[in-house]
Amino acid sequence: MNIVERLRDLWKKIVELWNSMSRERKFLVGGIGIALVITIVLFAVVASVPHYRLLVAGLNEDEAGVIIQKLEEMNIPYKVSPGGDIYVPDSYNVYELRMKLASEGVLGSSRKGFSILNENSFGATSFDKQVKYQIALQEELERSIMTIKGVKDARVHLVLPKYTYYVRGEMAEPRASVLVVLEPGAELTREQVRGIVELVSGAVEGLKPENVRVVDNYSRSLSDMLETDEGTFLASSKLELKQQLEKYYESKIKKALESVFGPGRVEVIPDISINWSKIETEMKKYEAPARREGLVRSQETQVEKSQNLSPTGGPAGTDSNIPPLTYPSATSEGTSTYERTHTITNYELNEVYQKIIQNREGEISSLSVAVIIDASSSVLQNSSDWSGVINDLVEKGVGSITSSASLSVAVAFLPFDRSIERALQEELKQIETRRRFILYSVGIALLGFLTFILIYLVIVQIRRIRARRLAEERRRKLEEEVKEILQEELKEEEVSPEEKELLELVEELENIFSRSPSDIAEIVRLWFFERG
């Protein structure tokens, strides 16, 4: 028997089995077959659709264009999504593909930096080399700035003096402009902008920080943040400190009162005056030292001595000069002596130096607190002297911190406008009602569908039971008719022992079938299966 005949026999058996089925079973088998076919088709469609994996992300248009061109040369399908993301089918090894693209030099930033200086061209002039160096320096700075947190991309434009190897060009000063493209939702701080300015000015010879301009992709001049003078910065710091203190006292008082009157029923308005005075007093005091007890600064001593002698000598003329010479002896008559000592002593003065600094910067000079409480609060019905209680609580709670400052507290009980809150609550109730309605509708629909399925199955089962009962009644009637006919024939003719034995066997089989019809059906199936 060949395959075609087997298929024909199988088809005939399937057709016979289908014809032997009841209508309900045909619907059930047909629905299962259709569902199976639809599932297979959907699975085949989903399996045939290629799945893509991320190859690279966050590229600009230039970098993405180079990679796409290389993928087309390699005959690799791809998908591009907004934001510079490139996807390839899951059948490709993305790690191996990234390595190949990196070896080709197309993966990564298109900025070459100082590597372009290796591309020397024959006959390049000094100006060409200067321009190439400027481009390389710009790209290196762009790479460095892009590593800063919050910066997605950067462009640097340098204006450098023109010079040759022999004569430097005449230009006032080099300048630089930096454009930063920020990440979505990111903002650069003052320190980050200062870092960019210092980075660029330090990398370019002769570039001063004040000649560097930084602009973001929203056309805002970020370098203006660095040009504020010290006074403006100090004023900003003072205002920030004042706001922080007011916020602190507001949260402290409001949190305590809301625990009594309920959330949203208390408003606190603090106003703080801060003392920024700083007084420095210097004083020098000189006192005369005690005589002969002070510290000697300098001392000068003058000593004068003189002595007058009587005149000596011989007689006038030449006779006294002719040897032998004779001189008269000296005598003490007519001799006088003078001696004088003068001492000047300078003493150090007693100097007393005092420097008194009274620094009250940051101290609170006055604090005013206005407390507004919702008059519709149910807590206010319990007591009538809430104003005094609140004043006392605020003064003791805040006055311990600001003991040296003047404190004033004002309390008011006013009805709050709850119209917006009520409208919001109504809107929330409507949304909740709609959500519940949708949930109830879906639940009722599912319950109705399940009830319909259950009723259908029950009806089908009842029909099967009825059909089975009718078949059994018909079979019993037929059996009774056959028995009557057989008995009549047996009465007319004598029954041989073989026929009587056959009749007894038939009766026994009928009894077995009436007790357990499933066993008889299984035996019949085995007979049909053995006979082919």
Side-chain angles (χ1 to χ4, degrees), residues 388-436:
V389 174
I390 295 172
N391 273 316
D392 191 26
L393 290 175
V394 174
E395 287 178 358
K396 290 183 177 180
V398 179
S400 60
I401 301 176
T402 60
S403 58
S404 61
S406 61
L407 176 63
S408 61
V409 181
V411 181
F413 300 94
L414 301 174
F416 284 14
D417 184 10
R418 302 286 182 180
S419 58
I420 298 177
E421 183 178 352
R422 287 193 292 268
L424 181 61
Q425 290 179 356
E426 291 294 332
E427 186 69 22
L428 292 176
K429 287 181 181 179
Q430 292 179 3
I431 294 173
E432 183 67 20
T433 304
R434 292 172 188 170
R435 188 180 66 83
R436 289 181 180 179

Side-chain angles (χ1 to χ4, degrees), residues 82 115 160 174 204 243 264 302 309 325 331 360 362 367 455 460 479:
S115 60
L160 302 179
V204 181
Q243 291 175 350
Q302 295 179 356
L309 300 177
L325 301 176
T331 63
R360 298 184 178 274
L367 173 61
I455 293 172
V460 170
E479 289 176 354

Side-chain angles (χ1 to χ4, degrees), residues 110-121 128-140 143:
S110 61
R111 299 175 174 89
K112 298 181 180 180
F114 284 116
S115 60
I116 65 173
L117 299 179
N118 298 326
E119 303 173 359
N120 295 325
S121 59
D128 296 336
K129 294 180 180 180
Q130 180 187 358
V131 172
K132 188 177 291 186
Y133 170 77
Q134 180 175 340
I135 295 172
L137 183 58
Q138 291 177 171
E139 292 180 350
E140 290 292 338
R143 285 181 179 179

